[in-house]
Amino acid sequence: MLSVPLGRLVAFCSRRAIAVVLVFAFLIVGATYASYALLGVTTDTGTMFSASLDWKKRSDEMGRLFPQKQDQLVAVIDAALPEEAQQTALALAAKLRDDHAHFNYVTTPQTDPYLVRNGLMFLDAKALERVLNTTITAQPFLSELAADPSGRGLFNALNLIALGISQGQADLGPFHAALDGFATTLQHSVSGTPEPLSWERLLAGDLADLGGKYQFVVTQPKLDYDSFQPGGAASDAIRNAANSLPFVQSGRAHVHITGDTQIADEEFATVAEGMVAGLLGSLVLVSLWLILAVHTWRIIIPIIITLVSGLLLTTGFAAIVVGKLNLISVAFAILFVGIAVDFAIQFSVRFRAQALPDGSSPGLLDALEQTGNETGHQILVAAMATSAGFLAFTPTAFVGVAQLGLIAGFGMLFAFICTLTLLPALLRLFRPTSGHGKIGFAFARPVDVAIRHHRKPILGVFVVIALVGVALVPRLTFDADPLHTKNPKSEGMVTLGMLMSEPQYSPYTVDVLMPDLDQAAAMSDKLSSLPMVHDALWLGSLVPADQKDKLPLIQDAANIMLPTLLVPNPAPAPDADALRTAAAKTAAALGGVMDKLPADDPLRRIQSALAHLSQADDQRVLATNEALVRFLPMQLNMLRDMLQVKPVAISDVPAQLAHDYLLPDGRALVEVHPTKDMKGNRALHTYVEEIQKVAPMAAGSAIDIVQSAATMVHAFVTAAAAAIVMIAIILAVALRKLLDTALVLAPLLLSALMTVILIIVVPEQLNFANIIALPLLLGVGVSFNIYFVMNWRAGIKLPLSSPTARAVLFSALTTGTAFGSLAASHHPGTASMGRLLLLSLACTLVATLVFVPALLPKRSIDEE
C-alpha cells in the first residue's frame, strides 16, 4: 500500500520544513522567471486547431496566398452626407499613409478612380436609365452651375426654373425631392445654422446609397506581438488621425474601428480582464471559505501559499512546454485554483480531525504523518485520475483544449506534490493544533441515516434523471461561431454589427480558388444561383456587365451634357455683394410665379429664404454660399468622368484591385457572400453545405466556423471516452476492486447527464469557450467520488457527517465562487464558461453528496 510511504514522505518534509521551503522557493523563482521570459498569449482563434486538418490547411493556404486580407484594421466612416464620409475617408487615408511606423498599407477601396469612373456602368439598366434621364432633364441647370460653380450660379439656374414656370413649360415633378432638400439647406443657412448640401443625393436621389452608407479605410497594421494588444498602437494612430479631421471635430462624421485585428485585441483585453478578476476573486473567496473550513490562520496561510506555489510552478511548466497560451488554455489558472485547493483542504481538514484513541491531541509531527497515512493515497489517486482526465484531451486536433489538458494535467501532479511536501512543511512552521475530532458536520448525521434507509427510492429517482439526460443528449448543439463569444459592446463588434445588414460586409465569407479565370467565372455562376448565396465575386465582377447596352445610353447622354459641362474658364468665385444681388434677383423672379405654385411647393420656401439672404450680412451670405456649393465641384468632376467612360475588360482592372482576386500563377479567387444575416447555426450550416456540394475544396471564415465545430465535437467525444477509460484503469489499479471502480465512475456519468439536462433547460449554449466544463467535470467529480468510496472501503459509516464531507463541501464552495466570478464577466465567452462550470459543479456536488451515499452497498457494520 502507498499509504505508509506517503505518510513517511509527509513526515520527512515536516521534519525538514525549512529545507523544503527553501527548495520550493528556488523552484518558484525559476518558474516565475520562465513565465516572464517565455510565456505569451495569442488571441488568434485559428491557432486553436491542428494545422494538419484538411480544412485548416486550406484556410492557412488561403491566408498565405492572400496576405493582404489578413490582420486588417478597418476604419468605418459614418457621416451625415455621402460627400462628408468620402472626404473624411480620403483625408484619413492620406494621414495614415504617411505613418510607416504603424501601417504596412492603407487603401480606400470605394474611391478607386477605376470604380468611380465606371460608376454609371455598374448600375443595372433600369437604374442607369433613371439617372441619365434625370441628369439630361437637369442639363440647363447643370450647365449654368458648370459655368459658375457658386451660389451665384445656383441662384441664376433657379431663374431658369422661374422662367419655365412663367411660360408653362416646367415639369418640376421629378425634381420635387431635390428642390425640397435644397430648400431645407438654404433655410438652415439663412437662419445661421448652415449645413452642407449633398449634390450626390440631389442628383442621384436614393441611388446615392446603392454602394452602401459607409466609407472605408482599410489598413494592415504592423503588429507588436510583444504587446497584449498587438494592434493597439495602430488603432490609437487611427483614432488620433481621425480626431484631427474637420468633419469628425464638427460631429458630422464618425470614425469606427473594426476588423479581425481590432476584434482580437478587444477579445484578449476582455478575456484577460475576466481571467484576472476571476483569479483574484478566486483567491479572495478561497480565503473566506478556508476560514469557515479550518478556522485558523495557521492553516489558511499555508494552504494559500501552497496553492500559489503550485500555480506558479504550473505556469512555469506552461511557459517551457507550451510557450504561447490561447483563449482556452489561458483558463488553466482558474481550473488549477478550483481543483488543487481541494487537495489542500482535504489534507488540512483531516489534519485538524486527528486525535488519539483517548481523545487527546497528538503531537504536530505525529498528526501530520498520520494525516499523510490517511489521505496521501486518496489524494494521489484523485490527482492521477484528474490528471488523466485532462491529459486525454492532449492528443486531439483541438489544440486549444489540448494545451489546456496538458497544462492542467501536469498541474494536478504539481498540486499533489505541493500538498504532500510543501504544505506539511508550512504547517510545521506555522504550528497549528490538531485533535479536533468532531471537525465534520454533526448535523448531517440524520441525513446520512435517511439516505441509507431510503436507498432504493433515491436511486430510482436518479435512474429516471439519468434516462432523461440520455434522451436529451441528441438535442445538444454546439455553437462554434467565435463572434458569439465576444463582447457585443466593444467597438469592433458594434461596428461589425452596423455592417452585417449588408451582405457584402458579412463576416461569413467563403473563398473558392480556381485554376484560372474561365473556371472562376463558371464557378461564380454556379454559386450565385444557390438560394443562400447573395453574390459570388471574382475578378470579372469588377468589369461592368451589359456594356453593349449601357455604353450607348451613356454616350447619348454625354453628347448632350458634356459640351455644357466642359467649361474651360468657369466664372471666378463671387463676393458677398454679388451673392446678395443674385439672391435678390432670383427671389424677385420666383415671387412673380407664386400664384402658379401649389401651397406646399418647395420653391415657396426657396423664395422666402433668398429674400432674407439678400438682406443678410457678409458672414452669413458667404457661409450660405459655402454650404450650398462646397461639394458641387467634386460632383461635377465626377459626372464629367463618368460620362466619358469607355469599354473596359478584365485587363483594364488596376493591379491594386486585381491582386485580391488573381494570383501571379493565374489561379483565380471566387469570394462568396451569404444572402442573409448568418446569426443562426442552422442557417450557417445550410449555407456552407450548399457551397460545399458545388465546391468541396472551399475555404473561408464560414467554412472555418462549421468545420471547427465538427472538430471540437469530435475531439471532445474522443477525449471524453479516452478519459473515462484512463480513469477507469487508474481506479482499477489503485482500488483493486471492480465494484469500487464502478462506484466512482457511476456518479461521474450521472453528473454529466444531469449537466446535459440543465444545459437544455436553462438553456446554455455550448461553445468553444465554455466547453472546458467537461474536463473540469471529470476532474472535480473523480476527486470527490474517490474520497467517499475510499472512506467507505476503509470502514467509515456516516460519509456526510465525516471530515471528508466537510472538505468536499468547502472545496466545492471555493471552486464554485471562482467560477461565479467568471460568470459575472463582461465577455460572453468567459461568462458562459463560468455559468456552465457552475452548473456542472452543482451536478457533481449533488451526485457526490446524495447519489454516492445512496449507491454505496450496505455492509455488516452499517447494521450495527
Side-chain angles (χ1 to χ4, degrees):
M1 289 294 291
L2 289 173
S3 58
V4 174
L6 291 176
R8 290 175 179 172
L9 174 64
V10 170
F12 176 84
C13 292
S14 58
R15 289 190 177 94
R16 292 164 178 79
I18 294 178
V20 170
V21 170
L22 290 176
V23 169
F24 270 93
F26 175 78
L27 294 174
I28 290 168
V29 169
T32 303
Y33 176 78
S35 301
Y36 175 79
L38 303 176
L39 192 62
V41 178
T42 177
T43 58
D44 183 4
T45 56
T47 63
M48 290 196 294
F49 300 94
S50 171
S52 64
L53 294 166
D54 288 340
W55 65 267
K56 191 68 170 59
K57 289 179 181 177
R58 295 196 299 272
S59 179
D60 292 344
E61 177 69 0
M62 204 66 70
R64 186 186 67 81
L65 295 174
F66 297 95
Q68 69 273 21
K69 296 188 176 186
Q70 310 298 311
D71 301 325
Q72 290 185 337
L73 273 179
V74 182
V76 180
I77 294 91
D78 177 18
L81 303 180
E83 293 94 336
E84 291 173 327
Q86 186 181 77
Q87 289 201 356
T88 300
L90 291 171
L92 178 60
K95 284 181 174 289
L96 298 181
R97 286 193 184 99
D98 294 332
D99 187 354
H100 302 293
H102 294 114
F103 301 98
N104 294 320
Y105 72 79
V106 178
T107 63
T108 52
Q110 293 154 294
T111 61
D112 185 273
Y114 169 84
L115 297 177
V116 174
R117 183 172 61 253
N118 294 289
L120 288 175
M121 285 208 297
F122 281 110
L123 297 175
D124 63 51
K126 289 184 179 180
L128 176 62
E129 286 188 33
R130 206 168 113 205
V131 170
L132 292 177
N133 289 338
T134 302
T135 305
I136 292 172
T137 304
Q139 188 269 342
F141 190 80
L142 293 174
S143 63
E144 191 72 33
L145 293 174
D148 185 1
S150 69
R152 178 182 57 199
L154 179 56
F155 302 153
N156 290 337
L158 289 172
N159 283 333
L160 298 177
I161 294 178
L163 178 62
I165 293 173
S166 66
Q167 296 176 355
Q169 298 177 351
D171 179 13
L172 299 181
F175 301 99
H176 187 277
L179 289 172
D180 190 62
F182 172 71
T184 300
T185 300
L186 187 59
Q187 285 179 318
H188 279 296
S189 299
V190 171
S191 66
T193 56
E195 294 182 0
L197 178 64
S198 173
W199 284 91
E200 184 174 336
R201 287 180 179 166
L202 202 67
L203 296 176
D206 58 346
L207 295 178
D209 292 327
L210 275 182
K213 60 180 294 189
Y214 305 108
Q215 288 282 323
F216 302 94
V217 178
V218 180
T219 75
Q220 188 176 68
K222 293 181 178 179
L223 302 179
D224 178 12
Y225 289 106
D226 292 330
S227 169
F228 284 139
Q229 294 179 286
S235 298
D236 291 341
I238 292 177
R239 293 188 186 93
N240 293 335
N243 290 336
S244 67
L245 302 178
F247 288 124
V248 175
Q249 291 177 339
S250 67
R252 294 191 59 80
H254 303 278
V255 178
H256 316 276
I257 302 177
T258 189
D260 48 2
T261 295
Q262 175 71 11
I263 291 174
D265 282 354
E266 293 170 343
E267 173 87 345
F268 176 72
T270 312
V271 169
E273 176 188 355
M275 289 300 174
V276 171
L279 183 57
L280 294 177
S282 300
L283 294 175
V284 172
L285 293 170
V286 161
S287 302
L288 173 63
W289 293 120
L290 288 177
I291 293 173
L292 298 176
V294 296
H295 300 302
T296 173
W297 65 270
R298 294 180 183 273
I299 295 180
I300 293 172
I301 294 178
I303 289 177
I304 294 176
I305 293 174
T306 301
L307 194 61
V308 172
S309 299
L311 178 59
L312 291 175
L313 291 175
T314 304
T315 305
F317 170 80
I320 295 171
V321 176
V322 174
K324 185 168 287 189
L325 303 175
N326 56 55
L327 289 174
I328 290 182
S329 59
V330 75
F332 82 90
I334 299 294
L335 294 184
F336 181 91
V337 172
I339 299 178
V341 71
D342 169 64
F343 300 162
I345 290 177
Q346 286 290 339
F347 187 95
S348 300
V349 170
R350 298 284 279 276
F351 165 76
R352 289 279 282 170
Q354 292 300 323
L356 296 174
D358 60 3
S360 61
S361 300
L364 178 60
L365 293 176
D366 291 338
L368 287 170
E369 183 174 3
Q370 184 59 32
T371 303
N373 289 332
E374 290 182 4
T375 65
H377 62 299
Q378 294 184 0
I379 295 175
L380 175 60
V381 174
M384 292 180 62
T386 305
S387 179
F390 282 123
L391 291 174
F393 290 85
T394 303
T396 67
F398 188 9
V399 176
V401 172
Q403 279 189 6
L404 178 67
L406 178 65
I407 299 169
F410 277 88
M412 294 302 98
L413 300 181
F414 292 138
F416 165 75
I417 293 171
C418 290
T419 301
L420 264 65
T421 56
L422 179 60
L423 181 58
L426 292 170
L427 290 174
R428 166 73 187 281
L429 295 177
F430 280 81
R431 306 190 66 82
T433 59
S434 60
H436 300 265
K438 297 181 179 180
I439 200 72
F441 295 127
F443 65 84
R445 186 182 184 91
V447 180
D448 268 318
V449 174
I451 290 177
R452 299 303 294 174
H453 285 173
H454 301 88
R455 290 182 64 238
K456 291 183 179 179
I458 292 174
L459 292 176
V461 170
F462 279 113
V463 168
V464 172
I465 292 174
L467 293 175
V468 171
V470 171
L472 291 178
V473 167
R475 293 183 57 184
L476 287 177
T477 58
F478 191 88
D479 181 6
D481 191 340
L483 295 180
H484 295 169
T485 62
K486 302 182 189 301
N487 182 3
K489 296 181 180 179
S490 67
E491 180 182 10
M493 287 300 296
V494 169
T495 305
L496 183 62
M498 292 164 47
L499 305 178
M500 285 179 64
S501 60
E502 299 292 335
Q504 64 266 36
Y505 306 141
S506 172
Y508 304 109
T509 58
V510 172
D511 297 323
V512 182
L513 194 60
M514 302 303 295
D516 52 49
L517 286 173
D518 291 337
Q519 294 187 58
M523 178 58 69
S524 174
D525 291 339
K526 290 180 182 178
L527 293 173
S528 298
S529 65
L530 298 177
M532 298 290 287
V533 172
H534 177 268
D535 57 57
L537 303 180
W538 64 294
L539 184 58
S541 303
L542 299 179
V543 179
D546 303 322
Q547 294 185 45
K548 290 183 179 180
D549 297 328
K550 295 176 182 178
L551 277 171
L553 297 176
I554 298 174
Q555 289 168 353
D556 288 344
N559 293 334
I560 298 172
M561 299 293 299
L562 285 178
T564 56
L565 291 179
L566 297 172
V567 179
N569 299 302
D575 58 18
D577 288 335
L579 290 167
R580 272 191 291 266
T581 300
K585 180 181 177 182
T586 303
L590 290 174
V593 296
M594 286 294 106
D595 59 329
K596 298 183 180 181
L597 297 175
D600 61 345
D601 196 292
L603 285 173
R604 291 182 177 274
R605 295 162 54 208
I606 293 173
Q607 191 276 336
S608 174
L610 289 174
H612 283 89
L613 184 64
S614 66
Q615 304 297 321
D617 57 56
D618 288 3
Q619 182 179 356
R620 185 159 299 189
V621 170
L622 293 175
T624 300
N625 180 69
E626 172 71 10
L628 291 175
V629 299
R630 177 171 188 169
F631 300 126
L632 176 59
M634 179 178 73
Q635 196 63 35
L636 289 174
N637 288 334
M638 190 181 301
L639 180 58
R640 294 184 188 105
D641 289 344
M642 289 191 295
L643 288 174
Q644 298 180 77
V645 70
K646 297 178 181 179
V648 293
I650 285 182
S651 58
D652 296 312
V653 177
Q656 62 186 21
L657 295 178
H659 84 306
D660 282 346
Y661 295 94
L662 186 65
L663 294 172
D665 61 7
R667 286 182 292 173
L669 180 71
V670 181
E671 184 178 89
V672 187
H673 300 113
T675 191
K676 61 172 69 174
D677 193 354
M678 289 289 136
K679 288 185 178 179
N681 280 316
R682 185 65 259 162
L684 183 59
H685 279 74
T686 302
Y687 165 64
V688 168
E689 288 166 5
E690 285 183 354
I691 293 173
Q692 287 184 318
K693 288 178 182 177
V694 178
M697 300 304 289
S701 61
I703 302 289
D704 290 350
I705 291 170
V706 171
Q707 292 295 338
S708 62
T711 301
M712 292 179 198
V713 171
H714 180 266
F716 273 95
V717 170
T718 304
I724 292 174
V725 171
M726 292 170 64
I727 291 171
I729 293 173
I730 291 172
L731 293 175
V733 172
L735 302 179
R736 301 181 182 181
K737 290 182 181 292
L738 183 61
L739 174 62
D740 293 3
T741 300
L743 291 175
V744 173
L745 291 178
L748 190 63
L749 297 177
L750 175 66
S751 59
L753 292 173
M754 288 194 293
T755 302
V756 169
I757 295 173
L758 290 181
I759 290 173
I760 300 298
V761 172
V762 169
E764 185 66 50
Q765 178 67 57
L766 290 175
N767 55 57
F768 75 83
N770 64 26
I771 197 68
I772 67 169
L774 177 58
L776 178 92
L777 174 67
L778 294 174
V780 174
V782 165
S783 298
F784 290 175
N785 299 336
I786 284 173
Y787 301 141
F788 274 77
V789 172
M790 294 185 78
N791 283 348
W792 170 79
R793 179 60 66 186
I796 293 178
K797 298 181 182 180
L798 303 172
L800 296 184
S801 54
S802 69
T804 298
R806 181 185 185 89
V808 164
L809 179 61
F810 281 104
S811 294
L813 290 173
T814 54
T815 305
T817 49
F819 300 153
S821 64
L822 291 180
S825 171
H826 296 298
H827 182 260
T830 303
S832 69
M833 181 196 307
R835 292 193 301 270
L836 192 53
L837 289 172
L838 281 173
L839 293 178
S840 64
L841 181 63
C843 294
T844 299
L845 202 58
V846 170
T848 300
L849 297 181
V850 181
F851 179 64
V852 170
L855 184 66
L856 295 174
K858 286 187 177 182
R859 302 160 297 183
S860 58
I861 57 174
D862 293 331
E863 304 297 333
E864 296 176 2

